Amino acid sequence: MPRASKHFILGLRAVSPILLGVLPFGVIAGITVIETGHGALDASLFSLLAFAGASQIASLALLKSGAPVLVAALTGLVINMRYLMYSASIAPYFAERPLPLKAVFACILSDQSYALSVSKFRSEPQLPRRAKMAYYAGCALGVWTMWQLGTIAGALLGRAVPPELGLEFAVPLTFLALLFQVLTDRGLIIAAIVGGGLSVLLSSMPANTGFLIAAVVGIVAGYYARPPEERRPPGTEDEQ
């Protein structure tokens, strides 16, 4: 088996256990679109164009509850700010690759593919760049495919899915499975503690604005908790 294909399979295999949580997560996203009055085609297109997971659900839930469109949009934007950090962190591993390929990789980036890939790259710094790309592709495409399938299933099933199944429980479990893999330095730990603590304390604020505040404060706290010389995208030192 060619080395690239081998590492693609390894990436797909590494992300497979997490896909069990991604599927019901996607189903919830599809159901949420239907409950806002849109059709199955809208749900599928939304996931294909946005592929934003938690921000999709949060924004739709706010719109469903009657929150202003601006608040829903800002919520999605703030939740997705983490992808700026993800991209800056993982970009050095794909340096000197064609821009179209990097654009595709950016479109399928997810929490799961980022966490697994960066963990792999840091533990095996000698891994060839081509192998790193293949491993990332396996992780990312696995998550992307399962998310799209889950969204379509949720959109088609709609309200036929009984609430007793408790699919919502899969959402925090999916992120908890990744949390301990990415909390590798003081800045990330502080960001998680501050952001998580504030989100609980401010949970009663109207229109989910407490979450927005908690997310921003957590990011800022995590950044400044790191020593000045370390305030750069993690992973860049591996590629120098």
Side-chain angles (χ1 to χ4, degrees):
M1 180 184 295
R3 178 173 293 183
S5 299
K6 172 187 175 182
H7 283 88
F8 178 88
I9 297 300
L10 288 175
L12 189 59
R13 185 181 301 169
V15 81
S16 294
I18 299 175
L19 298 183
L20 297 176
V22 173
L23 180 60
F25 196 176
V27 170
I28 294 170
I31 294 174
T32 305
V33 174
I34 299 302
E35 290 180 342
T36 59
H38 296 275
L41 180 59
D42 295 329
S44 299
L45 289 175
F46 188 26
S47 279
L48 283 171
L49 296 174
F51 185 50
S55 69
Q56 286 180 234
I57 296 176
S59 299
L60 287 168
L62 286 171
L63 291 174
K64 180 184 173 183
S65 66
V69 174
L70 180 60
V71 172
L74 286 174
T75 298
L77 180 62
V78 170
I79 294 175
N80 280 344
M81 281 177 62
R82 69 192 188 279
Y83 285 107
L84 292 174
M85 296 182 288
Y86 290 173
S87 298
S89 173
I90 204 169
Y93 298 110
F94 304 138
E96 302 177 3
R97 297 293 95 184
L99 181 59
L101 179 61
K102 290 193 285 189
V104 171
F105 277 8
C107 288
I108 59 176
L109 179 65
S110 64
D111 299 279
Q112 297 86 353
S113 59
Y114 169 79
L116 291 174
S117 297
V118 170
S119 177
K120 174 79 168 180
F121 301 163
R122 290 177 178 173
S123 64
E124 300 182 32
Q126 77 286 354
L127 201 64
R129 196 180 299 273
R130 189 177 181 86
K132 291 177 181 177
M133 293 175 60
Y135 186 88
Y136 170 81
C139 292
L141 285 174
V143 174
W144 184 89
T145 301
M146 188 61 75
W147 177 262
Q148 304 303 333
L149 291 175
T151 301
I152 293 171
L156 293 176
L157 293 173
R159 296 183 178 86
V161 178
E164 291 79 12
L165 287 179
L167 294 180
E168 294 84 354
F169 195 60
V171 178
L173 284 182
T174 300
F175 287 99
L176 283 174
L178 299 170
L179 183 61
F180 296 104
Q181 297 187 53
V182 298
L183 295 183
T184 56
D185 62 44
R186 184 175 66 185
L188 293 173
I189 294 173
I190 293 297
I193 293 174
V194 173
L198 277 179
S199 65
V200 174
L201 293 175
L202 304 179
S203 60
S204 61
M205 293 185 66
N208 211 36
T209 51
F211 177 81
L212 292 175
I213 296 172
V216 173
V217 174
I219 291 171
V220 174
Y223 178 79
Y224 284 103
R226 306 181 71 181
E229 64 274 10
E230 294 182 7
R231 291 173 191 168
R232 56 179 178 174
T236 54
E237 67 276 4
D238 294 334
E239 298 297 322
Q240 291 180 352

